[in-house]
mmCIF file of all heavy atoms in Angstrom:
data_model
loop_
_atom_site.group_PDB
_atom_site.id
_atom_site.type_symbol
_atom_site.label_atom_id
_atom_site.label_comp_id
_atom_site.label_asym_id
_atom_site.label_seq_id
_atom_site.Cartn_x
_atom_site.Cartn_y
_atom_site.Cartn_z
ATOM 1 N N GLN A 1911 112.132 71.417 102.801
ATOM 2 C CA GLN A 1911 113.176 71.079 103.754
ATOM 3 C C GLN A 1911 113.367 69.564 103.788
ATOM 4 O O GLN A 1911 112.598 68.810 103.184
ATOM 5 C CB GLN A 1911 112.838 71.600 105.144
ATOM 6 C CG GLN A 1911 111.571 71.027 105.758
ATOM 7 C CD GLN A 1911 111.235 71.664 107.096
ATOM 8 O OE1 GLN A 1911 112.080 72.252 107.757
ATOM 9 N NE2 GLN A 1911 109.981 71.564 107.512
ATOM 10 N N SER A 1912 114.384 69.119 104.494
ATOM 11 C CA SER A 1912 114.675 67.693 104.553
ATOM 12 C C SER A 1912 113.694 66.981 105.488
ATOM 13 O O SER A 1912 113.036 67.606 106.332
ATOM 14 C CB SER A 1912 116.104 67.468 105.035
ATOM 15 O OG SER A 1912 116.218 67.784 106.414
ATOM 16 N N LYS A 1913 113.618 65.644 105.357
ATOM 17 C CA LYS A 1913 112.753 64.854 106.231
ATOM 18 C C LYS A 1913 113.224 64.939 107.681
ATOM 19 O O LYS A 1913 112.405 64.984 108.610
ATOM 20 C CB LYS A 1913 112.727 63.402 105.776
ATOM 21 C CG LYS A 1913 111.709 62.526 106.517
ATOM 22 C CD LYS A 1913 111.647 61.133 105.929
ATOM 23 C CE LYS A 1913 110.551 60.306 106.600
ATOM 24 N NZ LYS A 1913 110.733 60.180 108.053
ATOM 25 N N ALA A 1914 114.548 64.989 107.887
ATOM 26 C CA ALA A 1914 115.071 65.108 109.249
ATOM 27 C C ALA A 1914 114.617 66.405 109.898
ATOM 28 O O ALA A 1914 114.255 66.427 111.088
ATOM 29 C CB ALA A 1914 116.599 65.029 109.224
ATOM 30 N N GLN A 1915 114.612 67.493 109.133
ATOM 31 C CA GLN A 1915 114.130 68.762 109.671
ATOM 32 C C GLN A 1915 112.648 68.684 109.999
ATOM 33 O O GLN A 1915 112.207 69.093 111.077
ATOM 34 C CB GLN A 1915 114.398 69.888 108.663
ATOM 35 C CG GLN A 1915 115.859 70.259 108.504
ATOM 36 C CD GLN A 1915 116.057 71.260 107.386
ATOM 37 O OE1 GLN A 1915 115.686 71.023 106.235
ATOM 38 N NE2 GLN A 1915 116.657 72.402 107.721
ATOM 39 N N ALA A 1916 111.860 68.167 109.067
ATOM 40 C CA ALA A 1916 110.416 68.070 109.295
ATOM 41 C C ALA A 1916 110.108 67.180 110.493
ATOM 42 O O ALA A 1916 109.253 67.510 111.328
ATOM 43 C CB ALA A 1916 109.730 67.541 108.039
ATOM 44 N N ASP A 1917 110.796 66.044 110.618
ATOM 45 C CA ASP A 1917 110.558 65.138 111.743
ATOM 46 C C ASP A 1917 110.899 65.797 113.078
ATOM 47 O O ASP A 1917 110.200 65.592 114.081
ATOM 48 C CB ASP A 1917 111.390 63.863 111.573
ATOM 49 C CG ASP A 1917 110.857 62.968 110.463
ATOM 50 O OD1 ASP A 1917 109.715 63.190 110.022
ATOM 51 O OD2 ASP A 1917 111.602 62.060 110.033
ATOM 52 N N ALA A 1918 111.975 66.603 113.090
ATOM 53 C CA ALA A 1918 112.368 67.273 114.330
ATOM 54 C C ALA A 1918 111.325 68.296 114.760
ATOM 55 O O ALA A 1918 111.029 68.437 115.958
ATOM 56 C CB ALA A 1918 113.728 67.943 114.146
ATOM 57 N N VAL A 1919 110.736 68.997 113.805
ATOM 58 C CA VAL A 1919 109.684 69.965 114.137
ATOM 59 C C VAL A 1919 108.447 69.240 114.654
ATOM 60 O O VAL A 1919 107.856 69.622 115.671
ATOM 61 C CB VAL A 1919 109.336 70.823 112.903
ATOM 62 C CG1 VAL A 1919 108.179 71.774 113.229
ATOM 63 C CG2 VAL A 1919 110.542 71.623 112.443
ATOM 64 N N ILE A 1920 108.046 68.168 113.963
ATOM 65 C CA ILE A 1920 106.856 67.421 114.353
ATOM 66 C C ILE A 1920 107.037 66.806 115.744
ATOM 67 O O ILE A 1920 106.104 66.770 116.556
ATOM 68 C CB ILE A 1920 106.552 66.339 113.301
ATOM 69 C CG1 ILE A 1920 106.161 67.000 111.976
ATOM 70 C CG2 ILE A 1920 105.440 65.413 113.771
ATOM 71 C CD1 ILE A 1920 106.064 66.039 110.801
ATOM 72 N N ALA A 1921 108.261 66.325 116.036
ATOM 73 C CA ALA A 1921 108.539 65.745 117.351
ATOM 74 C C ALA A 1921 108.361 66.763 118.470
ATOM 75 O O ALA A 1921 108.061 66.398 119.619
ATOM 76 C CB ALA A 1921 109.954 65.174 117.385
ATOM 77 N N ASP A 1922 108.522 68.057 118.148
ATOM 78 C CA ASP A 1922 108.314 69.115 119.133
ATOM 79 C C ASP A 1922 106.848 69.551 119.204
ATOM 80 O O ASP A 1922 106.524 70.529 119.892
ATOM 81 C CB ASP A 1922 109.187 70.324 118.799
ATOM 82 C CG ASP A 1922 110.650 70.092 119.151
ATOM 83 O OD1 ASP A 1922 110.931 69.128 119.896
ATOM 84 O OD2 ASP A 1922 111.505 70.870 118.689
ATOM 85 N N GLY A 1923 105.962 68.862 118.487
ATOM 86 C CA GLY A 1923 104.533 69.140 118.578
ATOM 87 C C GLY A 1923 104.025 70.203 117.632
ATOM 88 O O GLY A 1923 102.880 70.646 117.763
ATOM 89 N N VAL A 1924 104.848 70.619 116.653
ATOM 90 C CA VAL A 1924 104.434 71.645 115.700
ATOM 91 C C VAL A 1924 104.169 70.992 114.350
ATOM 92 O O VAL A 1924 105.045 70.299 113.823
ATOM 93 C CB VAL A 1924 105.516 72.732 115.544
ATOM 94 C CG1 VAL A 1924 105.115 73.746 114.473
ATOM 95 C CG2 VAL A 1924 105.744 73.434 116.877
ATOM 96 N N PRO A 1925 102.989 71.169 113.775
ATOM 97 C CA PRO A 1925 102.729 70.589 112.455
ATOM 98 C C PRO A 1925 103.702 71.146 111.413
ATOM 99 O O PRO A 1925 103.932 72.353 111.338
ATOM 100 C CB PRO A 1925 101.286 71.029 112.149
ATOM 101 C CG PRO A 1925 100.697 71.371 113.464
ATOM 102 C CD PRO A 1925 101.819 71.888 114.305
ATOM 103 N N SER A 1926 104.273 70.251 110.628
ATOM 104 C CA SER A 1926 105.173 70.657 109.556
ATOM 105 C C SER A 1926 105.281 69.508 108.575
ATOM 106 O O SER A 1926 104.665 68.454 108.758
ATOM 107 C CB SER A 1926 106.545 71.050 110.109
ATOM 108 O OG SER A 1926 107.327 71.670 109.104
ATOM 109 N N SER A 1927 106.055 69.694 107.528
ATOM 110 C CA SER A 1927 106.252 68.649 106.530
ATOM 111 C C SER A 1927 107.463 69.012 105.698
ATOM 112 O O SER A 1927 108.089 70.065 105.901
ATOM 113 C CB SER A 1927 105.012 68.511 105.634
ATOM 114 O OG SER A 1927 104.836 69.681 104.860
ATOM 115 N N ILE A 1928 107.794 68.132 104.761
ATOM 116 C CA ILE A 1928 108.905 68.428 103.855
ATOM 117 C C ILE A 1928 108.601 69.678 103.037
ATOM 118 O O ILE A 1928 109.476 70.492 102.779
ATOM 119 C CB ILE A 1928 109.176 67.218 102.942
ATOM 120 C CG1 ILE A 1928 109.742 66.052 103.759
ATOM 121 C CG2 ILE A 1928 110.140 67.570 101.831
ATOM 122 C CD1 ILE A 1928 109.945 64.787 102.972
ATOM 123 N N SER A 1929 107.343 69.842 102.661
ATOM 124 C CA SER A 1929 106.915 71.016 101.895
ATOM 125 C C SER A 1929 105.973 71.853 102.750
ATOM 126 O O SER A 1929 104.886 71.395 103.123
ATOM 127 C CB SER A 1929 106.202 70.576 100.608
ATOM 128 O OG SER A 1929 105.668 71.685 99.934
ATOM 129 N N PHE A 1969 112.442 77.639 112.664
ATOM 130 C CA PHE A 1969 112.063 77.037 113.940
ATOM 131 C C PHE A 1969 113.281 76.323 114.514
ATOM 132 O O PHE A 1969 113.879 75.458 113.857
ATOM 133 C CB PHE A 1969 110.908 76.045 113.744
ATOM 134 C CG PHE A 1969 110.403 75.432 115.022
ATOM 135 C CD1 PHE A 1969 109.484 76.095 115.803
ATOM 136 C CD2 PHE A 1969 110.853 74.186 115.443
ATOM 137 C CE1 PHE A 1969 109.007 75.544 116.983
ATOM 138 C CE2 PHE A 1969 110.388 73.612 116.620
ATOM 139 C CZ PHE A 1969 109.461 74.301 117.393
ATOM 140 N N THR A 1971 114.564 73.652 116.722
ATOM 141 C CA THR A 1971 114.042 72.443 117.353
ATOM 142 C C THR A 1971 114.795 72.125 118.641
ATOM 143 O O THR A 1971 115.901 72.617 118.883
ATOM 144 C CB THR A 1971 114.147 71.252 116.392
ATOM 145 O OG1 THR A 1971 115.528 70.973 116.131
ATOM 146 C CG2 THR A 1971 113.446 71.562 115.077
ATOM 147 N N SER A 1972 114.189 71.252 119.453
ATOM 148 C CA SER A 1972 114.771 70.916 120.755
ATOM 149 C C SER A 1972 116.071 70.131 120.622
ATOM 150 O O SER A 1972 116.863 70.077 121.570
ATOM 151 C CB SER A 1972 113.763 70.116 121.583
ATOM 152 O OG SER A 1972 113.395 68.925 120.906
ATOM 153 N N ILE A 1973 116.307 69.500 119.463
ATOM 154 C CA ILE A 1973 117.557 68.761 119.278
ATOM 155 C C ILE A 1973 118.648 69.635 118.669
ATOM 156 O O ILE A 1973 119.732 69.150 118.345
ATOM 157 C CB ILE A 1973 117.337 67.505 118.406
ATOM 158 C CG1 ILE A 1973 116.906 67.909 116.979
ATOM 159 C CG2 ILE A 1973 116.343 66.568 119.039
ATOM 160 C CD1 ILE A 1973 116.862 66.719 116.016
ATOM 161 N N ALA A 1977 115.121 74.317 111.472
ATOM 162 C CA ALA A 1977 114.147 73.804 110.520
ATOM 163 C C ALA A 1977 113.099 74.888 110.259
ATOM 164 O O ALA A 1977 113.275 76.047 110.662
ATOM 165 C CB ALA A 1977 113.514 72.521 111.051
ATOM 166 N N PHE A 1978 111.986 74.493 109.606
ATOM 167 C CA PHE A 1978 110.990 75.473 109.196
ATOM 168 C C PHE A 1978 109.591 74.949 109.474
ATOM 169 O O PHE A 1978 109.329 73.742 109.450
ATOM 170 C CB PHE A 1978 111.137 75.799 107.704
ATOM 171 C CG PHE A 1978 112.521 76.225 107.316
ATOM 172 C CD1 PHE A 1978 113.383 75.334 106.708
ATOM 173 C CD2 PHE A 1978 112.975 77.504 107.596
ATOM 174 C CE1 PHE A 1978 114.666 75.715 106.353
ATOM 175 C CE2 PHE A 1978 114.252 77.894 107.253
ATOM 176 C CZ PHE A 1978 115.111 77.001 106.637
ATOM 177 N N ALA A 1979 108.670 75.899 109.725
ATOM 178 C CA ALA A 1979 107.272 75.548 109.967
ATOM 179 C C ALA A 1979 106.405 76.774 109.695
ATOM 180 O O ALA A 1979 106.891 77.909 109.691
ATOM 181 C CB ALA A 1979 107.070 75.067 111.397
ATOM 182 N N ALA A 2021 102.203 75.116 120.175
ATOM 183 C CA ALA A 2021 103.515 74.475 120.321
ATOM 184 C C ALA A 2021 104.629 75.383 119.807
ATOM 185 O O ALA A 2021 105.743 75.371 120.327
ATOM 186 C CB ALA A 2021 103.530 73.140 119.585
#
Side-chain angles (χ1 to χ4, degrees):
Q1911 62 184 340
S1912 71
K1913 187 175 185 302
Q1915 289 173 303
D1917 288 346
V1919 177
I1920 294 170
D1922 285 345
V1924 176
S1926 191
S1927 66
I1928 291 176
S1929 174
F1969 183 83
T1971 65
S1972 59
I1973 64 172
F1978 306 101

